[in-house]
């Protein structure tokens, strides 16, 4: 069983819509969760991190964490074509200790 | 913000040769750095954890004699791909965890092509 799972997509949304990206993790001891954005051929860049149950908002981005369900999500409001990228969910802690374990990523395409 | 500098950005080498990739933390000290490999359309796979002043810790399935890691100072870790083969062609990325920040900072990556 993969430790961090994501729907590979591609997920297509029209410009201005809300994009919803989902992630589940298997290690119940994981403590911190991250969303990275990766453009093709580039290295990942951190968008959001969350470690408490509930919602965390930063501009157009909202991360949601539900530890009981072992579920993390990222909402992107007012999606822009520049948001088109692969979004990687990552978990830290638990049996992986200080290693960040990445999910396979979800490809998002925002259609103008 | 914390910056991790990685060089070279891309390299082409012949089969059987060795390639060294450098990863530097520019404005912070990194006792630990992480090396990832990413094949096209796949996620990042952790190869090894580089520890300053001690041996690296390799993930299962990663050949430590092929992927030599040296972390001789608090700001520099190097990955040397020895006797490279075409199947080693990949995107190699290093990362570090700056103290006081959340999330790991990644280098810009190195695109290795072995011909």
């Amino acid at each position: 069983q993969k430790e961090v799972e994501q729907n590979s997509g591609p997920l297509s949304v029209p410009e201005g819509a809300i994009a919803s990206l989902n992630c589940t993790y298997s290690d119940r001891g994981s403590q911190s969760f991250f969303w990275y954005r990766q453009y093709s051929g580039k290295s990942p860049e951190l968008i959001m991190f969350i470690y408490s149950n509930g919602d965390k908002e930063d501009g157009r981005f909202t991360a949601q964490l539900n530890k009981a369900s072992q579920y993390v999500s990222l909402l992107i409001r007012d999606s822009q074509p520049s948001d088109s990228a692969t979004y990687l969910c990552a978990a830290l802690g638990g049996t992986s200790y200080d290693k960040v374990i990445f999910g396979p990523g979800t490809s998002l395409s925002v259609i103008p | 913000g914390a910056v991790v500098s990685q060089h070279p950005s891309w390299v082409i080498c012949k089969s059987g040769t060795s390639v060294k990739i450098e990863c530097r933390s520019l404005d912070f000290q990194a006792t630990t750095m992480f090396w990832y490999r990413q094949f096209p359309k796949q996620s990042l796979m952790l190869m090894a954890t580089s520890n300053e002043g001690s041996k690296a810790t390799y993930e299962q399935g990663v050949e430590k004699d092929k992927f030599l890691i040296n972390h001789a100072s608090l700001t520099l870790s190097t990955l040397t791909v020895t006797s490279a083969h075409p199947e080693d062609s990949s995107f190699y990325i290093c990362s570090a965890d700056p103290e006081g920040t959340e999330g790991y900072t990644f280098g810009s990556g190195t695109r290795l092509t072995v011909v």
Side-chain angles (χ1 to χ4, degrees):
Chain A
Q1 182 185 6
K2 292 183 179 179
E3 295 184 49
V4 179
E5 298 199 51
Q6 298 177 252
N7 187 327
S8 62
L11 173 66
S12 294
V13 299
E15 183 175 357
I18 296 175
S20 178
L21 304 164
N22 304 315
C23 170
T24 58
Y25 60 96
S26 61
D27 188 342
R28 191 169 286 277
S30 297
Q31 299 166 353
S32 301
F33 305 89
F34 308 91
W35 283 99
Y36 285 85
R37 176 174 62 197
Q38 186 177 26
Y39 292 110
S40 181
K42 304 295 185 182
S43 64
E45 54 180 327
L46 182 66
I47 299 176
M48 294 278 291
F49 67 90
I50 186 168
Y51 46 82
S52 298
N53 274 327
D55 296 359
K56 180 180 179 182
E57 186 174 320
D58 184 0
R60 296 188 295 113
F61 300 96
T62 299
Q64 299 173 317
L65 174 60
N66 183 323
K67 290 186 177 181
S69 300
Q70 297 177 236
Y71 174 88
V72 192
S73 68
L74 179 70
L75 298 178
I76 306 175
R77 290 181 298 280
D78 189 24
S79 296
Q80 301 297 309
S82 58
D83 295 326
S84 298
T86 296
Y87 289 80
L88 303 170
C89 173
L92 173 67
T95 56
S96 62
Y97 188 53
D98 63 345
K99 302 173 188 176
V100 176
I101 305 299
F102 286 86
T106 297
S107 175
L108 172 66
S109 179
V110 180
I111 312 300
Chain B
V3 176
V4 174
S5 175
Q6 185 173 345
H7 294 280
S9 299
W10 59 271
V11 58
I12 301 174
C13 70
K14 292 183 177 180
S15 287
T17 61
S18 297
V19 173
K20 179 185 285 187
I21 303 170
E22 292 190 348
C23 183
R24 295 180 184 272
S25 56
L26 295 187
D27 47 6
F28 65 98
Q29 293 183 334
T31 56
T32 302
M33 289 189 177
F34 303 91
W35 287 94
Y36 291 86
R37 179 168 55 182
Q38 186 177 36
F39 292 107
K41 299 194 182 300
Q42 295 187 25
S43 189
L44 281 74
M45 296 302 297
L46 180 64
M47 298 176 65
T49 302
S50 169
N51 304 297
E52 187 270 333
S54 64
K55 291 182 179 180
T57 304
Y58 290 81
E59 296 300 302
Q60 191 173 13
V62 178
E63 301 175 58
K64 61 181 180 181
D65 294 331
K66 179 171 183 61
F67 299 100
L68 301 179
I69 290 175
N70 183 282
H71 196 151
S73 77
L74 288 171
T75 59
L76 175 64
S77 175
T78 61
L79 168 67
T80 301
V81 182
T82 63
S83 186
H85 290 281
E87 56 264 33
D88 297 324
S89 299
S90 187
F91 192 46
Y92 293 85
I93 315 173
C94 65
S95 75
D97 181 18
E99 189 174 333
T101 66
E102 294 286 352
Y104 287 20
T105 298
F106 283 86
S108 55
T110 298
R111 176 76 57 190
L112 170 64
T113 302
V114 184
V115 297

